[in-house]
Amino acid sequence: MTRVRFAPSPTGRIHIGNARTAFFNWLFAKKKLGTFVLRFDDTDLERSKEEYAQAIEVDLAWLGIAPDLVVRQSQRFALYDAAAESLKAAGLLYSCYETADELDRRRKRQIARGAPPIYDRAGLKLTSDERTALEAEGRKPHWRFKLQDRTMRWDDVVRGASQIEAGSLSDPVLIREDSSYLYTLPSVVDDIDLGITHVIRGEDHVTNTAVQIQLFEALTADRKAPCFGHHNLLTTASGEGLSKRSGSLSIAGLREAGIEPLAVAVLAVLTGSSDSVHPVASLEELGEVFDLNHVSRGAARFDEAELQALSARTLHALPFETVRERLAHHEIAGTRAEGFWLAVRGNLTRMEDVPDWWRVVEGEIEPVIEDADYCRDALALLPDEIFDDKTWSRWTAAIKEKTGRKGRALFHPLRLALTGRDQGPELAQLLPLIGRIKAAGRLSAPGG
Ligand code: GLU
């Protein structure tokens, strides 16, 4: 049974780059009929905020991602404590007393000597008397995981055969002086406890994987790690990384800007892959194209301007069923709602513009009468019939014959009178929705 997790730390709003990771996991789980866990990495009690956790759930829901399970690391400390104790008992987690300054000086000396700046394991060599003396000075230990000097290999589900020399890494600190946990240990403990089968995340975590595989080996009876996949990170068109702080590409920001969630999904998933970016009508459709093997090794640059255009193109193709509820939210419902949607969708750039068009067909508008005589002639020729999608061509053919007008001179004054707007959806489709009574009323409105 496939089980994946998306593990944001709730220290800010998520952005489109985070959505990429979330979608990769979610679409992967859907494909394998597996489970998607939302795990809040909130062991940093100072920076993590419940309101951010809730906002992340709202953002994911807007994108169409509903987790099967939500867990918070802040409620699972007992598990991490137990794991830390077992590592200590196995001699794999050892105390160190250096200050950040001391470590920094040591690193600089190593670099000056041309040696790799790796932690020298001084903590491991301390006698218990030395430890006692350091603690008597008021020092508190931090705790490092003792890495084995091995080549760590894994078959990355995105990048293929991968390896890292664990010997080239410093023993990682798992527990800080103030006894708080860094991300590494809780992440592995939870992946084990929750039965995660695939860890799919950004390539900024590749190095962590070497460490984490060793932790999985140390903490599980069968010494097995899940499968790993590391995807390229989204950057702006100019190659800048996205950050939770920058805000502009936050999911909330995009929602407020009226961008369609499906357009965000498509750009988040297909940028930097061998599949071309194209609008889809549903996440299922996106899931059919999505394949971790298509994700490229190179950069995943995306253009914000593309988002606007893709969002509009997404709207143009959305089936009525998909938007029925959203339209109902704007009080656009009833037997005419579907015909209305099909008439106007191709003209929208944002869903927010839709109530405006509903008013054109259902409500009151301010007709614009440029040429009252012409409108009167047109009114006289308005067919006396139940309007359908042929009415417009029949009517305008008759006006053309009577007035000799053609092109813009023929059509534009009619558009202004009937809709009060300079441009918009096809009148052939709008006219039956407006209906004869309203159309006649608008054509005979007083001219300006
Ligand atoms: N909280 C980590 C992050 O947001 C999770 C990394 C992981 O998926 O293991 O980078």
Side-chain angles (χ1 to χ4, degrees), residues 389-408:
D389 57 1
K390 302 279 171 347
T391 305
W392 170 256
S393 59
R394 269 200 290 271
W395 180 39
T396 49
I399 302 172
K400 185 176 178 181
E401 204 182 289
K402 167 94 198 290
T403 63
R405 293 195 188 209
K406 51 185 196 281
R408 191 178 160 85

Side-chain angles (χ1 to χ4, degrees), residues 370-392:
E370 263 187 349
D371 179 340
D373 292 341
Y374 176 61
C375 286
R376 200 171 318 110
D377 288 347
L379 172 60
L381 292 166
L382 196 60
D384 197 8
E385 62 185 25
I386 295 175
F387 284 8
D388 62 22
D389 57 1
K390 302 279 171 347
T391 305
W392 170 256

Side-chain angles (χ1 to χ4, degrees), residues 46-59:
E46 296 257 293
R47 290 177 57 225
S48 302
K49 298 248 174 342
E50 179 56 27
E51 69 208 62
Y52 286 133
Q54 286 177 17
I56 290 171
E57 286 197 61
V58 168
D59 290 344

